[in-house]
Structures are given as structure tokens and as C-alpha cells.
Amino acid sequence: LTETFIDYLSYMEADGTVEGIGELAEPEITVVFHRNTGDEFAEMTFSIHPYDQSFSVVSFNGESRILVNKNHVGELLLHFENIR
């Protein structure tokens, strides 16, 4: 089941971008990747925050400007719930 969640996370596509969003709402989900690179990218944080009725905004290492479809986020969260 874990592979399904990771696969779904990696297949999410951007539906647009937004600039200057300001303060974000609390994330719906946050995933922290721990990599054995030994550099500033050894820990990378990916969060999805509510944006509007149709989209959520992705924050990756503090950069927040990618929009994703809320329906896809809902499916991702279902995959996550199946892990538990």
C-alpha cells in the first residue's frame, strides 16, 4: 500500500501556478523525504495546503506556487489513509 501512496504522489501534475499567495492555510498533508545525499537536500518537505474551491497549493521546501486539482489531493489522502 505504501508504494501506491508514493506512486500517486509522484504522478500528481501541476494544474497551474500562482504568485504572491501570502500566508498559507494549515497543510492537508506533509511528507518529509529523508535522502542520503549528505547535502542541503538531505531532507525535503512537501506539503499540500487548501487554496480555493478547485485547487490546492503545493509547498516544496518552502516554495509555494504550484496548483493541483483538489480531486487529486482527495485521492492522494485516501491512499494515505489506506497505509494506516
Side-chain angles (χ1 to χ4, degrees):
L1 292 173
T2 303
E3 289 179 353
T4 303
F5 171 74
I6 296 298
D7 289 342
Y8 202 85
L9 180 64
S10 67
Y11 294 135
M12 289 187 77
E13 293 184 7
D15 288 316
T17 58
V18 65
E19 297 292 331
I21 15 183
E23 189 74 23
L24 294 171
E26 287 295 312
E28 297 174 82
I29 189 167
T30 298
V31 179
V32 179
F33 297 95
H34 298 275
R35 303 171 56 211
N36 61 354
T37 59
D39 58 14
E40 70 268 19
F41 301 111
E43 183 176 293
M44 302 178 81
T45 303
F46 174 94
S47 299
I48 301 176
H49 305 262
Y51 181 68
D52 64 17
Q53 290 182 349
S54 300
F55 298 101
S56 294
V57 64
V58 171
S59 174
F60 195 67
N61 281 351
E63 295 290 323
S64 306
R65 59 178 176 248
I66 299 170
L67 296 175
V68 293
N69 186 297
K70 263 200 187 296
N71 292 330
H72 296 156
V73 172
E75 292 174 24
L76 176 71
L77 295 174
L78 285 175
H79 284 291
F80 179 74
E81 287 297 322
N82 287 331
I83 294 173
R84 294 186 199 185

